[in-house]
Amino acid sequence: MKEFDKYKSVGLNGDFEILIGSSKTCTICLTEKEVPEIAKKHAVLKRIRDRLFIKDFASKSGTFIDNHRLPKNSWEEIIQQGFKEIKLGNTPIGIDAQLFRGRPRIGIKTTALHYDISGKIVCNGAYIQAQPGSMTAIMGPAGCGKSILLDLINGYRTPNSGKVFAIRDNIPINVHHDYSLVREWLGYLPQDDVMIPELTVYQSLNYCLRLQFTCLNQQIREYIIRQTCQNLGFDQVRLEKFLHTVIGSAESGIRGLSGGERKRANLAHELIAMPLVLLLDEPTSGLSSVDADKIVRLLQKLTQLDDLTTIATIHQPSRDTFERFDNLLLMNYDGTVIYYGSTAQAVPYFEFVTETTNTDRNPAEYLLEILDKSDYNNKLINGIAKEQFKFIMPL
Ligand SMILES: Nc1ncnc2c1ncn2[C@@H]1O[C@H](COP(=O)(O)OP(=O)(O)O)[C@@H](O)[C@H]1O
Ligand SMILES: [Mg+2]
């Protein structure tokens, strides 16, 4: 097999388009000896964020993925674990693993954040340290400041004190100072979506891609839309129906998507931009526990597969859904943190501090009930001071 070491000299940060052929003008210039029957302009490799596409330029000997000859002049995605061999004519070529990952992963780290609205403290020392590949749940009673905390992390609001950093290659980048750099990495799903009810899902996603990536051609856009929605759990038949349904809304009087479909359409708008950090405000609200778990399972899959940093506020998750999160940030009514550590240790910690037992109940319900009982307040505050560090996992 011919290893394409020549790629390494091309400079592989960010998006690229690499022309392969025998012509001197190609980025990768190959001789007839190296690849018999190579065309002057044979094929082109294109990377958009973390996705790699290939196109054959109507070459005589063709370009093949696992012996399937690519149609002429049409883009096909190369999926890292999805192929065995790529050939130019009869010559196999090696595709370096680093070609599939266009960007370093991004973690999130904050110092203690403080924020008030007209003098009322709504964030009182909350902080987050989230690694790529991890899922963090933010829970707490209604009005405790979960959405505000997400807004502070995503750069929409600036804390009165405290800092938010995106961590890239171990270098902290201040989200509020360098917002223009960081914003491309952040995907934010607001609790109330802002989709245009008159459009079909396909039209809306297509506009969204056109606005964000001016250089993508229609064929790649179409591909990204379909693939993203398939990842969201639609099979071929349901996918067509979903894409061609009008979004609709109660206010506009246009009947459209169901609640679960609407959440997924909303999520698709974020995912097509290929964010590295996913901030989600109640991605499961209004859904049945089965649909809610489907969404969180999907987020878990994407987080692990793409090494995303996922942080979601969540309301009343089922036990299964709760356990899909690696870490839990539990907030109290006054915008303070009452627990921040591994999800698995949360119940044992509160059992210890409050001297109660949860037995088989839903962990989320147990935790929120404890916050609701003011007689535990002192115990919890003292518990935080004395005991929490025993339980909190190192992040
Ligand atoms: N724009 C606003 N103006 C005044 N108060 C607000 C505003 N947004 C949120 N708050 C208050 O801040 C607190 C936290 O709100 P929020 O983060 O939305 O809570 P939740 O935990 O339910 O997401 C609440 O008491 C809310 O009333
Ligand atoms: Mg909220």
Side-chain angles (χ1 to χ4, degrees):
M1 179 185 295
K2 165 140 196 59
E3 280 298 335
F4 259 177
D5 289 341
K6 293 183 184 184
Y7 287 137
K8 290 181 184 147
S9 62
V10 175
L12 289 174
N13 277 329
D15 296 353
F16 59 65
E17 219 171 294
I18 297 175
L19 203 55
I20 306 167
S22 63
S23 159
K24 289 269 183 299
T25 59
C26 290
T27 332
I28 305 271
C29 175
L30 297 163
T31 61
E32 176 75 22
K33 216 163 136 198
E34 288 174 304
V35 178
E37 293 191 70
I38 181 97
K40 276 200 156 55
K41 274 169 69 184
H42 195 108
V44 61
L45 271 178
K46 183 183 179 79
R47 184 170 69 200
I48 303 153
R49 301 201 174 165
D50 298 310
R51 306 178 78 138
L52 194 62
F53 295 86
I54 190 166
K55 178 167 84 169
D56 181 87
F57 278 123
S59 70
K60 224 162 139 195
S61 58
T63 302
F64 298 81
I65 301 183
D66 291 342
N67 294 326
H68 145 72
R69 184 172 181 152
L70 300 187
K72 292 179 172 139
N73 291 316
S74 100
W75 289 103
E76 203 137 323
E77 185 172 15
I78 309 175
I79 298 183
Q80 191 166 8
Q81 272 91 30
F83 75 99
K84 288 199 187 71
E85 186 177 66
I86 293 188
K87 289 197 292 191
L88 301 180
N90 277 324
T91 312
I93 58 165
I95 299 274
D96 197 292
Q98 65 167 326
L99 282 179
F100 292 94
R101 197 158 269 197
R103 301 165 297 174
R105 303 294 107 169
I106 305 290
I108 290 287
K109 196 168 186 170
T110 77
T111 59
L113 301 174
H114 292 89
Y115 186 73
D116 71 77
I117 295 178
S118 321
K120 183 186 164 203
I121 294 170
V122 289
C123 184
N124 196 0
Y127 62 96
I128 288 248
Q129 291 183 22
Q131 308 267 20
S134 74
M135 302 247 293
T136 303
I138 303 178
M139 280 174 43
C144 71
K146 302 180 293 294
S147 300
I148 298 276
L149 179 59
L150 276 190
D151 279 358
L152 292 171
I153 297 170
N154 73 19
Y156 284 15
R157 293 173 189 263
T158 308
N160 301 131
S161 70
K163 291 180 178 135
V164 180
F165 299 104
I167 310 290
R168 184 178 63 171
D169 287 335
N170 291 322
I171 297 169
I173 299 164
N174 188 309
V175 168
H176 294 90
H177 293 175
D178 290 308
Y179 188 63
S180 56
L181 171 68
V182 173
R183 64 183 293 181
E184 181 194 301
W185 307 329
L186 303 180
Y188 170 63
L189 187 83
Q191 189 172 352
D192 298 313
D193 60 65
V194 282
M195 296 181 289
I196 301 171
E198 287 82 5
L199 300 180
T200 64
V201 175
Y202 182 87
Q203 285 169 330
S204 180
L205 290 171
N206 200 25
Y207 282 131
C208 188
L209 273 181
R210 285 174 69 173
L211 286 170
Q212 297 208 27
F213 303 88
T214 43
C215 61
L216 281 192
N217 69 33
Q218 178 55 29
Q219 201 208 342
I220 292 189
R221 281 203 302 271
E222 170 116 20
Y223 183 90
I224 292 177
I225 290 172
R226 286 177 186 280
Q227 227 249 334
T228 305
C229 294
Q230 269 170 357
N231 276 347
L232 286 173
F234 289 100
D235 60 28
Q236 205 57 46
V237 178
R238 287 172 62 225
L239 177 66
E240 288 312 311
K241 185 172 168 283
F242 173 66
L243 287 177
H244 295 107
T245 303
V246 173
I247 290 168
S249 69
E251 304 81 55
S252 65
I254 304 168
R255 272 195 61 187
L257 300 172
S258 71
E261 286 173 334
R262 199 176 174 90
K263 281 280 174 200
R264 283 195 267 185
N266 204 10
L267 198 53
H269 282 78
E270 283 312 310
L271 295 177
I272 51 170
M274 302 173 232
L276 294 171
V277 178
L278 261 181
L279 302 166
L280 310 132
D281 201 0
E282 309 234 1
T284 61
S285 65
L287 299 184
S288 69
S289 63
V290 175
D291 276 346
D293 194 55
K294 270 192 198 157
I295 294 262
V296 176
R297 197 164 58 202
L298 191 99
L299 290 170
Q300 186 186 26
K301 193 178 117 198
L302 292 173
T303 302
Q304 291 171 354
L305 210 67
D306 291 341
D307 253 344
L308 306 180
T309 300
T310 298
I311 303 172
T313 67
I314 192 145
H315 186 63
Q316 300 239 314
S318 68
R319 175 184 287 274
D320 285 350
T321 306
F322 179 79
E323 286 171 357
R324 291 188 194 285
F325 289 91
D326 304 289
N327 296 311
L328 169 70
L329 174 72
L330 188 61
M331 295 177 73
N332 210 348
Y333 284 103
D334 49 3
T336 54
V337 173
I338 212 81
Y339 176 84
Y340 183 30
S342 87
T343 311
Q345 288 294 335
V347 168
Y349 167 75
F350 282 96
E351 286 181 328
F352 178 84
V353 174
T354 60
E355 296 165 46
T356 57
T357 16
N358 176 43
T359 55
D360 283 340
R361 283 171 54 223
N362 175 347
E365 260 172 45
Y366 169 68
L367 299 178
L368 291 178
E369 251 178 57
I370 286 180
L371 293 191
D372 218 26
K373 289 188 183 143
S374 54
D375 25 323
Y376 289 136
N377 267 356
N378 278 340
K379 280 186 177 172
L380 288 173
I381 290 158
N382 290 335
I384 290 265
K386 286 199 197 113
E387 289 297 333
Q388 191 169 16
F389 291 108
K390 253 169 60 182
F391 288 89
I392 287 184
M393 58 174 262
L395 287 163

